[in-house]
Amino acid sequence: MKMRLSLLVLACLLMPINFAAKMQKPVLNKIMLQLSDSQWVTTKSAKVLVSINATLSQAGLAKARKDIMQNLSRIAKGTWHITAFNRSQDSSGLERLNVSAQTRLSESQLTDLRAAAKSVTRPGATYRISNIDFSPSQAEVADTKQALRTKIYAKVNTEIAELNKSFPKQHYSV
């Protein structure tokens, strides 16, 4: 009696495993497919860099910064960012400022930038357009990457549809 009970218990334990094995889909072969795409990132704006060399008067640093920001907005309307602000003393004892500022401007705003920088230059403060860079912004690069991902995902869906059409019993998925 003990022997028969053991076999019955063993049969009950093996039945769910055997049943589960029959219910599972067959193991699929792996299909590796590499897709890539490329596209130019276009930009309609340029990064404008301005360098400022100035001497500090008795008015001080706070007034100099305010004057610099006002003069930058006279050069071109935009959101200006000061990227470097170095203060030193020259051999005559005057405080000197070397400032770098940048903004992104549309193509239409780029005309006459050098003349505008020259117009705000005065004795003791020189404004110079040091660079105009047409490399795309991070947002433009991110938008282009997203568009490329969307194109690649569409290609993946097309490939999966073709696989499932060719091998209907396999049920391919990503």
Side-chain angles (χ1 to χ4, degrees):
M1 183 76 170
K2 281 187 179 183
M3 178 88 104
R4 195 180 275 176
L5 186 58
S6 304
L7 290 175
L8 185 59
V9 169
L10 184 60
C12 289
L13 289 175
L14 291 178
M15 189 161 57
I17 294 171
N18 192 17
F19 182 71
K22 287 182 181 177
M23 292 298 293
Q24 290 179 354
K25 292 180 182 173
V27 177
L28 299 176
N29 292 333
K30 287 186 179 181
I31 295 177
M32 300 290 284
L33 174 66
Q34 291 186 356
L35 297 172
S36 64
D37 205 344
S38 62
Q39 178 178 326
W40 282 96
V41 180
T42 57
T43 183
K44 291 182 174 38
S45 64
K47 181 170 53 173
V48 177
L49 293 110
V50 175
S51 61
I52 302 129
N53 293 315
T55 55
L56 280 179
S57 63
Q58 296 296 332
L61 193 59
K63 182 174 181 332
R65 187 181 188 294
K66 180 181 172 193
D67 290 344
I68 287 170
M69 293 305 288
Q70 286 175 345
N71 287 334
L72 288 171
S73 67
R74 286 186 198 132
I75 292 172
K77 299 291 181 211
T79 306
W80 286 94
H81 302 281
I82 292 179
T83 58
F85 198 93
N86 299 315
R87 186 175 169 179
S88 62
Q89 191 172 34
D90 66 9
S91 59
S92 67
L94 289 174
E95 291 284 328
R96 298 195 46 81
L97 288 178
N98 293 317
V99 180
S100 296
Q102 72 179 29
T103 190
R104 284 201 78 85
L105 298 174
S106 66
E107 289 182 54
S108 63
Q109 291 178 288
L110 297 178
T111 56
D112 297 329
L113 275 181
R114 295 194 195 288
K118 197 172 192 174
S119 73
V120 296
T121 296
R122 58 174 174 69
T126 304
Y127 290 77
R128 184 175 62 87
I129 305 298
S130 57
N131 194 14
I132 298 174
D133 181 12
F134 278 94
S135 59
S137 68
Q138 289 179 344
E140 290 166 330
V141 171
D143 290 345
T144 303
K145 284 182 177 180
Q146 179 59 45
L148 286 173
R149 274 193 300 275
T150 301
K151 284 174 65 175
I152 288 173
Y153 294 158
K155 288 179 183 179
V156 167
N157 283 331
T158 302
E159 291 296 325
I160 289 173
E162 283 298 316
L163 279 171
N164 285 328
K165 189 169 125 183
S166 298
F167 307 100
K169 294 181 181 178
Q170 294 296 320
H171 305 290
Y172 287 96
S173 63
V174 177

